[in-house]
Amino acid sequence: VTPQLFGNSSSNSNSSSPGTATVHWIGDKPAYQSGTTFGLPWPRGKHHSENTKFTISGDSSEQIELQSWVTGYWPDGSVKWSGHAIPESENIYNKYTVTAQNGTTSGLYTNPTGSLVVTNASDKLTIHTGKLQVSFPKAGSVLVSEIKTKSGKIIGNDGKLVLQSQSGVANDPSNRGNSSIQHFNFESSIEAVTVSEESSVRALVTIRGKHQVTRGGDHDNWLPFVVRFYLYANSDAIKLVHSIVFDAAANENFITGLGLRFAVPLAGEKQYNRHVRIAGVDGGVLNEAVQGITGLRRDPGAAVRTAQYDGAALAAESTWDPRVSSRLRWIPTFSDYILSQLSPDGFTLKKRTKAGQSWINIPGGTRAGGFAYLGGATQGGLAVGLRDFWKRYPSALEISSAATDVGEITLWLYSPEAQPLDLRPFHDGLGQKNYTDELDALDITYEDWEEGFDTPYGIARTSEITIFGFENTPSRDKLASLTEHINNPPVLVADSEYLKETEAIGTYWALPDTTSTASATIESHLEFLFEFYQEQIEQRRWYGFLDFGDFMHTYDPDRHTWRYDVGGYAWDNSELSPDLFFWLFFLRTGRADVYRFAEALTRHTGEVDVYHIGQWKGLGTRHGVQHFSDSAKQARISQPQYRKYFYYISGGDERVGELMEELLDTDKTYGVLDPNRKVRTDGWTPSPGSTVAIGLGTDWSSLAGGWLIEWERRGSRWEEAKSKLTSTITGIASLKNGFVTGSGLYSLENSTLGPPPTDPQNNGIVAVSHLSAVFGLPEVVSEAIEYFGADLPTGFKDAWLDYCYYFQATAAEQAARYGVSFGSLNLYQGHSRLTAYVANQRGNSSLGARAWREFYTTDGFQATSPWNTTRVEGSDVLAAVDEASWVSTNDVAQYGLAAIQNLALVRESLDDSVS
Amino acid sequence: VTPQLFGNSSSNSNSSSPGTATVHWIGDKPAYQSGTTFGLPWPRGKHHSENTKFTISGDSSEQIELQSWVTGYWPDGSVKWSGHAIPESENIYNKYTVTAQNGTTSGLYTNPTGSLVVTNASDKLTIHTGKLQVSFPKAGSVLVSEIKTKSGKIIGNDGKLVLQSQSGVANDPSNRGNSSIQHFNFESSIEAVTVSEESSVRALVTIRGKHQVTRGGDHDNWLPFVVRFYLYANSDAIKLVHSIVFDAAANENFITGLGLRFAVPLAGEKQYNRHVRIAGVDGGVLNEAVQGITGLRRDPGAAVRTAQYDGAALAAESTWDPRVSSRLRWIPTFSDYILSQLSPDGFTLKKRTKAGQSWINIPGGTRAGGFAYLGGATQGGLAVGLRDFWKRYPSALEISSAATDVGEITLWLYSPEAQPLDLRPFHDGLGQKNYTDELDALDITYEDWEEGFDTPYGIARTSEITIFGFENTPSRDKLASLTEHINNPPVLVADSEYLKETEAIGTYWALPDTTSTASATIESHLEFLFEFYQEQIEQRRWYGFLDFGDFMHTYDPDRHTWRYDVGGYAWDNSELSPDLFFWLFFLRTGRADVYRFAEALTRHTGEVDVYHIGQWKGLGTRHGVQHFSDSAKQARISQPQYRKYFYYISGGDERVGELMEELLDTDKTYGVLDPNRKVRTDGWTPSPGSTVAIGLGTDWSSLAGGWLIEWERRGSRWEEAKSKLTSTITGIASLKNGFVTGSGLYSLENSTLGPPPTDPQNNGIVAVSHLSAVFGLPEVVSEAIEYFGADLPTGFKDAWLDYCYYFQATAAEQAARYGVSFGSLNLYQGHSRLTAYVANQRGNSSLGARAWREFYTTDGFQATSPWNTTRVEGSDVLAAVDEASWVSTNDVAQYGLAAIQNLALVRESLDDSVS
Ligand SMILES: [Ca+2]
Ligand SMILES: [Ca+2]
């Protein structure tokens, strides 16, 4: 089926016929859902927010409470993407059907019957979910002042962020006593607290601030945070999305601990009724009491022992064997516990009676679930968990003072038992003194280094935390179930066919097609590539607080290792759009494992690889040994298109939405940083705030992607974004050689785009790069053309189709059209999707056949590539691995995108007999 | 077969017929042996050292160089145990036959033709193995000043011990900047260097000293060490047995790093020819060069790449692609590496270009082999490894300054990246004020606590290290092979039948017997118990720098965990002689896994659980949460009998020999510490240096065991030991009720043993304890009776046979004999071996049948016990485990000993149809 680009979507915006869409859980139906948000696309022109009412029902048609909002609009103002939240419920259905009923007057928000109550006082917000009442002060250090259960038990207090840092690190262990190193402690300091306007089913409390020093000397407030608290009707869970930005000098600020801490009131609870629960391996749980009454020399009675293990309140001491009850004072209470996951393979776990006494090894195991509970059998308690705990090592869970009146539970995103987080450069520049040296070095390590550019200043990290409140100590199985829940939070998604039919998320992909040998082979190759990367993450241990979510760029077959230590070949940082490939692979397969993989990628690349503040705000960093070490700061890395799929499918994840907003200022950065500074020969330099040079591929595609999203979202700057997008599209259309021109001068003052410095008269130059169309340009342009529809500035589509046609046209054709051929280029396999695009647009089957020839017979992967892995073990490697030395991530990304898009665009031209 | 206790061994000491004995490798034949020492027993009266010549041949009868010595003598002066060393050789045979040729005049030491040369100068020792020349200064901080290869390359310098400590630890992470904590660095400071007198095949250099502060302030020299270096003819390996004693206040001295460091000269070696090799998982190896030339943007040529990976010197740069050779200065050199095994499940591995730059994650894996190499392709290098590296976490291997003229390689027995070693008490006493409180607390947690007794002052730890020197960087496979070698050092042992026939190591065990249903069932139960403990070590993670080698005492079925946190139930500390059981289980099966298991147990219990210096020198500590936390300081724990099997089989392991010597002063300790002080009601107090009260079971058996061993060994105090043994044996024989008296007063002045304080007139009292005969007493007495032979003081054997007979005689029989019955006792199953002993001695088959009835139908394990494990998983436990909640270590030890000894002594009385 060749997709229709236009005209297929009905424009019956006034129709009263309801639209329906079905969502299902990815993977297995969860055993528990604590309130779920999801996104749904709608066809162009079908539903307008002002007169559409969304409702939802489960398998049984029973109506479920629903909160709805719009995350994206079609140009005509109709709903393109909606976001929805359902409350926690014990009834969990396989599928849910959302109905969009037009012609109502009540608008979107029609379910204010929820149990969720928001009270916004001058000094604090209070959210009552129906199960928990949570108070958020508007100032000070405490983010959550109180968590109270339905029955009135206060189970949590004083929830705050904690941070430790030091001013230096010892050069080696013998220097650890270095007295010049200062050690600082910090707590959260609130700057702003807001709550979502609409909170019928889901309330969102957003708290911004910085970490303020509390001990260790003077230190500026730093490490800005934004923590989003999601509370759902009927829920005993609070979901946090916790983000920080590194805003300090890396050589003077080393994080040694970063966490979230709650106090848990325990006064009045008997020591033997206080329970500690810590998630272990594969659903395992450590089940202990602060004062254990099992395993003693005398038996208090089986009922008492069993009750303690089960977390129930023990019967009155008078019912016990008096040989135990009379000697409770001799049974130590263990007040402190700490589980540290200092490697992705092993955690340690220990406890102590109190500070000043030795720790006792419990001990640990392989990979901890990242979840801990502290509370009492009668007074209830609090649990806190970190998603992907062991994958984000060094992490920790600490319980302290459990034998006192106020216990504490601390989730450490960065374990205080780990070595400091060291974000200094990994080398000293090796003596590189100027661009000549830098380009020479680039030619051997492929690292594009420049003094001062190897800085983490401005990178971010986002973590997902869940807090649960309990009336009593929950059962072991409940805690195991919640551990699974926090690590694999339930996700509702529409099926691939519906997603595709709405044409709301690209028309350049189609469902898997195994109807012919050729297509089935391609499908198997796509599966192979995904599964290979999934397994490489595990085998190569691509885990870590900052690292998890990325993979490597190029393999070193000699050493049987990815080039983790070779300049420009290490962390991939979205090079050539693997994000797009994996998201499209999810869209077409709906596989849960692909979703989790792509989600982790999005959470990493959008945060760690991008500057969120500072002089390079909006740019990302090219692939390198450290995520931020390369001097090529590029918009192509921060490309918002990479996060778009997750954003809409997630129902508008607010953190990702914020990242997209940040990127609206990326264009300004070109005023201070010319991406071509090292190789520019035309002498041009940028005029900050005035005129900047941008590439029509890697630069403009990212700016355009961001503008288009802002326009779709109708964000606060959407008119500005639409204007810039329209203006630059018009500019490109006006260039004599269109995209073939390669770059242009962009005015920061009026957003116009004119010819490049080398062609001020727009006589037409040819500057085609293999990189221009491999960072989202085809996807952004395709979506923009469709979005503008009839309003697309004249000439732009032709400029794009020309680029698509001529990139792999013959030299003669190129010369005939542009006066000069493009010469030897690269990444032809990936660019076959450009040929496919123009073939599809023009209904030209011989062009379609050309696309497939390019796909099969140029560069990249071949039909004759091995398409398998080889086991490497024994002394050849540190640990046994499966290698595919013929695979590079560049090829994977572009092969994947070409395969998916060619199948969507020129399926009918595929020779079905190719295997 | 009922063993004959006497008369079976020929006394042909003047015979000229040679004796032969065969040894084989435990487990598979090793791929490599770097020189091996082993022990062999000989029958009584066969060979005298002054006129016996030992020779050895392999499968081919080819004579092999052999160094021989005597480790134990029969009373008549004939050789009971010999020790032998063979050189490193590429010819490794399945078996070796040792021939003892009598009637020669050349004596034992007849193979001085070895390549091993010892030069003993005034300032240093130099040992030349034929492959390595190693220099040991006699003073200063450097233990090994130089290691030189055969071709004259200096591959190691400046080998010294390094230690870090701190004066306190932060109570919690927020206190880590606590400026009152001092950080100290120390190096070895030599006090004495000695070399073995005989060094034809094996030279032993023993270096003693303490750690002297080099940085951080004033600190006494502390943590005394003794490091034994074993060098074999023709060997490129140096084996170290490294022992330390903790001799400081635990609340002011926290070890933060303990290691062995060598300098590796690298000047002149090209950076790309410098190699780092670090053992990974399951024979895996990290293969890196300091300056990598693989994985670059430009290819120097396949031969160059392959050579670097292989550790070969690269061809001249002129042969490379000049695009690489011209740009070497832009390729970073990585100078520092560190692998840290901070949990038994995971290690991290990172490297950095140099201090001041960030580390790069390599990253790590699960369990590291504990072996690392630093050197050059042309200049050779040094490797160092720690046996049981991951089992002894937190351990580390560090390579530093590899890009400078002098690299360093440090083996950390305690990783500087770990939390400090905290040996403080685990609780504060819980308010216990006097013996009344202590006994009351004992009644609930089973912990016998007393103020000040929970101290590690005087405990020790021994580690096995191997150093290898190389002319060039060795192959990957060679390094993997050496990693296997250091973790499973080849062991030569005689087969069980021979060991038994010589009667040199007890006559209370026999070979496995599966000839009947009953005996086969017992054999299967013994196997079950061993394999269960072997697996529990893994599942319960009984690993750690101090912990490895021990297991726990009692299970808590309610929590599905061993009682690691309950006072007297945690670490077993040899309670009821599991050491004896597992060693006897090895003797009869010859299984390699049993040997490794028992060896680790011996290395732990003899070191960590015993005080080696200080006021309680010679005593061990009863089972508890910490190895040293219980106040019951007991000779029964330090019982030298537990180490005897390993000592002789190993050819006289010098560290264990030293431990046995230390114990010769244990009797003095009773002058300062009465083991019965808390429960004594007779008002007696010890007179230091004069008269002390000792139990005839738990105390005397340990003293007697030590005296007997010293006599056998003909150690420097053997006549004193023989005298004390004879005197106390005479004393026991003189007690009216013999062993039934329970205790006696021992004179430190003249070593006499008289009646206890409660029976000064030796009228005869009855004080039978279930504990007297479960800490080696039957085994020591059996061996002593045989050893004395005809010279055994009169009455002693009868006293022992009476004890054996009456322990489980009827109350009427007891009363008839002693005027009173023994009352209700305990551990009857284990004591069935006492009945078996007397049955065997008297040839009384009805007594034999009584022994089996006691074995099957009293306490302990029953035929109807489950004899299996149950899987416990999911949320019931931290991580899935197999539990046998019906098993206690006490029962295991005593069941195992009774089963083995009953089968040896009264096999013919076993009802073969029992299943
Ligand atoms: Ca990255
Ligand atoms: Ca122990």
Side-chain angles (χ1 to χ4, degrees), chain A residues 665-814:
Chain A
D665 288 322
T666 304
D667 51 352
K668 293 195 184 76
T669 307
Y670 290 100
V672 294
L673 187 74
D674 173 19
N676 289 320
R677 64 197 179 279
K678 294 187 189 176
V679 292
R680 188 178 291 285
T681 56
D682 56 17
W684 180 87
T685 55
S687 308
S690 167
T691 305
V692 299
I694 60 173
L696 302 185
T698 53
D699 300 320
W700 180 80
S701 70
S702 296
L703 300 176
W707 293 327
L708 178 59
I709 291 169
E710 178 69 2
W711 180 11
E712 281 183 353
R713 293 173 65 196
R714 301 297 190 274
S716 61
R717 295 170 66 181
W718 76 270
E719 287 170 308
E720 170 197 341
K722 178 184 177 185
S723 165
K724 286 178 171 177
L725 180 63
T726 308
S727 172
T728 55
I729 277 183
T730 305
I732 291 169
S734 303
L735 292 173
K736 177 142 190 294
N737 285 351
F739 281 99
V740 171
T741 311
S743 65
L745 285 173
Y746 172 72
S747 165
L748 291 172
E749 288 157 343
N750 58 24
S751 308
T752 55
L753 181 68
T758 46
D759 183 24
Q761 301 309 313
N762 195 20
N763 293 323
I765 61 165
V766 171
V768 177
S769 163
H770 62 292
L771 292 181
S772 293
V774 292
F775 289 90
L777 182 66
E779 294 75 19
V780 168
V781 170
S782 169
E783 292 191 30
I785 288 171
E786 292 174 20
Y787 200 73
F788 274 103
D791 295 333
L792 184 72
T794 308
F796 178 77
K797 185 171 178 181
D798 287 339
W800 176 241
L801 291 176
D802 275 1
Y803 188 81
C804 290
Y805 179 86
Y806 284 102
F807 189 90
Q808 294 196 62
T810 64
E813 286 180 293
Q814 290 167 349

Side-chain angles (χ1 to χ4, degrees), chain B residues 428-723:
Chain B
D428 64 1
L430 308 167
Q432 297 173 46
K433 290 184 179 60
N434 47 43
Y435 289 165
T436 308
D437 284 352
E438 289 165 24
L439 294 172
D440 197 47
L442 174 74
D443 215 9
I444 187 67
T445 64
Y446 203 36
E447 183 184 44
D448 188 1
W449 183 86
E450 187 174 346
E451 175 97 48
F453 280 66
D454 42 6
T455 173
Y457 186 96
I459 71 168
R461 190 52 162 154
T462 286
S463 308
E464 294 175 49
I465 299 166
T466 311
I467 300 165
F468 298 91
F470 301 98
E471 298 278 3
N472 324 94
T473 297
S475 73
R476 294 183 291 280
D477 280 349
K478 175 71 177 174
L479 290 163
S481 161
L482 296 181
T483 304
E484 167 67 17
H485 174 83
I486 62 159
N487 282 289
N488 293 296
V491 172
L492 284 170
V493 70
D495 61 32
S496 298
E497 193 154 351
Y498 178 80
L499 292 172
K500 179 174 167 47
E501 277 174 2
T502 62
E503 300 190 344
I505 192 158
T507 53
Y508 39 74
W509 59 275
L511 269 57
D513 177 349
T514 55
T515 57
S516 78
T517 305
S519 65
T521 299
I522 294 173
E523 297 294 343
S524 75
H525 290 171
L526 296 174
E527 279 176 19
F528 170 84
L529 293 174
F530 166 70
E531 286 161 12
F532 174 64
Y533 274 72
Q534 190 179 37
E535 186 60 30
Q536 288 297 292
I537 289 173
E538 166 61 15
Q539 292 188 351
R540 307 296 177 166
R541 300 297 194 271
W542 290 330
Y543 300 123
F545 173 65
L546 289 180
D547 295 343
F548 177 60
D550 206 349
F551 32 74
M552 295 256 167
H553 180 283
T554 306
Y555 198 67
D556 179 352
D558 292 305
R559 284 188 292 165
H560 305 289
T561 184
W562 292 79
R563 302 185 192 178
Y564 73 97
D565 57 349
V566 184
Y569 294 111
W571 292 117
D572 193 61
N573 286 14
S574 299
E575 185 72 1
L576 306 199
S577 309
D579 309 66
L580 292 182
F581 163 48
F582 290 114
W583 273 115
L584 293 185
F585 190 60
F586 166 72
L587 289 180
R588 59 205 306 276
T589 62
R591 279 171 59 168
D593 56 353
V594 181
Y595 185 89
R596 307 294 187 195
F597 179 102
E599 190 184 7
L601 182 58
T602 294
R603 287 276 187 227
H604 171 94
T605 58
E607 302 274 5
V608 180
D609 298 345
V610 173
Y611 290 109
H612 304 269
I613 56 170
Q615 59 178 336
W616 301 321
K617 177 182 170 183
L619 301 183
T621 302
R622 173 181 177 269
H623 41 98
V625 170
Q626 294 166 297
H627 301 285
F628 49 80
S629 54
D630 204 90
S631 77
K633 306 303 181 189
Q634 302 274 358
R636 73 191 202 206
I637 309 303
S638 57
Q639 169 64 280
Q641 182 75 16
Y642 296 167
R643 338 284 169 221
K644 186 175 188 175
Y645 310 92
F646 173 69
Y647 175 74
Y648 285 126
I649 291 172
S650 67
D653 179 275
E654 284 73 13
R655 171 60 182 169
V656 171
E658 174 177 51
L659 297 181
M660 290 168 164
E661 284 166 27
E662 284 174 9
L663 295 170
L664 291 172
D665 288 322
T666 304
D667 52 353
K668 295 195 184 75
T669 307
Y670 290 101
V672 295
L673 188 72
D674 173 19
N676 288 318
R677 63 198 180 280
K678 292 187 188 177
V679 292
R680 189 178 291 285
T681 55
D682 55 18
W684 180 89
T685 54
S687 309
S690 167
T691 305
V692 300
I694 60 172
L696 302 185
T698 52
D699 299 321
W700 180 80
S701 70
S702 297
L703 300 176
W707 292 327
L708 179 58
I709 292 169
E710 178 70 2
W711 180 13
E712 282 183 352
R713 294 173 66 196
R714 301 296 191 274
S716 61
R717 296 170 67 180
W718 76 270
E719 287 169 309
E720 170 197 342
K722 178 184 176 185
S723 166

Side-chain angles (χ1 to χ4, degrees), chain A residues 21-43:
Chain A
T22 300
V23 289
H24 62 277
W25 304 102
I26 62 167
D28 295 333
K29 187 177 85 170
Y32 168 77
Q33 71 92 6
S34 61
T36 303
T37 296
F38 60 93
L40 263 181
W42 301 96

Side-chain angles (χ1 to χ4, degrees), chain B residues 126-129 131-137 142-150 152-160 229 231 235-238 240 260-265 379-384 409 466-471:
Chain B
T126 305
I127 316 280
H128 202 308
T129 70
K131 285 195 183 149
L132 296 180
Q133 182 178 307
V134 187
S135 300
F136 300 92
V142 173
L143 307 190
V144 178
S145 56
E146 188 178 281
I147 303 177
K148 195 190 287 185
T149 67
K150 190 171 187 175
K153 298 172 184 172
I154 296 169
I155 53 169
N157 281 131
D158 212 19
K160 60 178 73 163
F229 294 80
L231 297 96
S235 181
D236 45 22
I238 309 168
L240 280 65
L260 170 69
R261 176 174 294 157
F262 274 88
V264 179
Q379 302 188 4
L382 203 67
V384 59
I409 185 165
T466 311
I467 300 165
F468 298 91
F470 301 98
E471 298 278 3

